[in-house]
Amino acid sequence: MFIIDAHHDLAYNAIRYNREVRLPLTDLRERERKTPAEGVPTVSIPTLLEGRIGLIFGTLFSMPIQRNVFMPDNKKLVYENPDQAHAVALAQLDFYQRLADEVEQIRLVRNLPELEEVVASHVEGEDGLLGIVALMEGADPVREPAELEEWYERGVRLIGPAWDDTRYAGGAWREGSGFTREGFALMEGMADLGFILDITHLSDKA
């Protein structure tokens, strides 16, 4: 059995809450009991490997400032403009790249041979690899559609145009607007490069 976790906020949790996701889960919980963060950690790299998860879609999530209502004092990974959103997403992508560079069993999956390597490692009795496919949740980090090629070269393979409303499309949280002119240009660019379109959180109209 090859298990895929198709949405995982691993980098967001690590950066926003200073969560050391390389620790065993019991150690991570003990650490946060002494220095509380939001919620209770439920997963870490060792638990993903122990559970023989083959692939995760690691999100790049930027919190629009107008939606940062639960922790208004939080300044991490929140954005007011496209440049800030770009920096937030890039920090999370860099986090996944560091994991792949520094943890022997982790691979950043960007093409078919890298995927095949991860799948082939999952044979009975062997310690399988953990593949990470980068998923941008909300497209505001793409400052303009012409920038898509840069994100593709850096390893992003899935993009969801909206979480909350973006300048590309309406999200499901609000009045439910559709795609903008920029949003159609974004999808055309994604199609040209071979991105996967993630429709999660889009409004019904979009």
Side-chain angles (χ1 to χ4, degrees), residues 27-188:
D27 295 346
L28 180 55
R29 287 178 174 172
E30 178 62 19
R31 178 188 183 194
E32 293 199 6
R33 186 183 65 82
K34 297 175 181 177
T35 309
E38 184 177 293
V40 177
T42 58
V43 71
S44 65
I45 297 297
T47 60
L48 290 168
L49 293 171
E50 182 182 355
R52 297 188 60 78
I53 308 302
L55 195 71
I56 68 170
F57 293 174
T59 62
L60 313 177
F61 177 67
S62 312
M63 173 67 75
I65 194 164
Q66 68 270 19
R67 294 289 295 182
N68 193 37
V69 294
F70 299 109
M71 295 180 69
D73 294 332
N74 173 60
K75 304 300 181 186
K76 285 187 176 181
L77 307 185
V78 176
Y79 72 94
E80 295 184 69
N81 57 59
D83 286 336
Q84 291 176 355
H86 180 274
V88 165
L90 196 57
Q92 292 171 74
L93 186 57
D94 288 345
F95 175 85
Y96 290 126
Q97 185 63 67
R98 286 196 303 275
L99 282 181
D101 290 342
E102 297 171 7
V103 180
E104 185 178 357
Q105 283 182 264
I106 292 180
R107 300 289 187 274
L108 191 61
V109 175
R110 296 155 296 194
N111 53 50
L112 186 58
E114 290 170 346
L115 177 61
E116 289 175 338
E117 179 192 10
V118 172
V119 173
S121 73
H122 283 259
V123 295
E124 190 170 352
E126 300 291 334
D127 292 330
L129 299 171
L130 173 63
I132 300 175
V133 180
L135 159 63
M136 186 182 291
E137 184 181 6
D140 271 343
V142 181
R143 292 172 291 192
E144 56 182 5
E147 194 175 77
L148 282 167
E149 188 171 359
E150 174 189 330
W151 286 106
Y152 193 89
E153 289 175 354
R154 287 179 173 270
V156 177
R157 290 297 177 267
L158 303 98
I159 297 178
W163 177 75
D164 194 9
D165 288 352
T166 65
R167 64 190 183 284
Y168 296 114
W173 305 107
R174 297 181 185 271
E175 296 177 1
S177 57
F179 275 89
T180 65
R181 185 183 299 273
E182 281 186 290
F184 285 110
L186 178 82
M187 288 194 292
E188 289 173 3

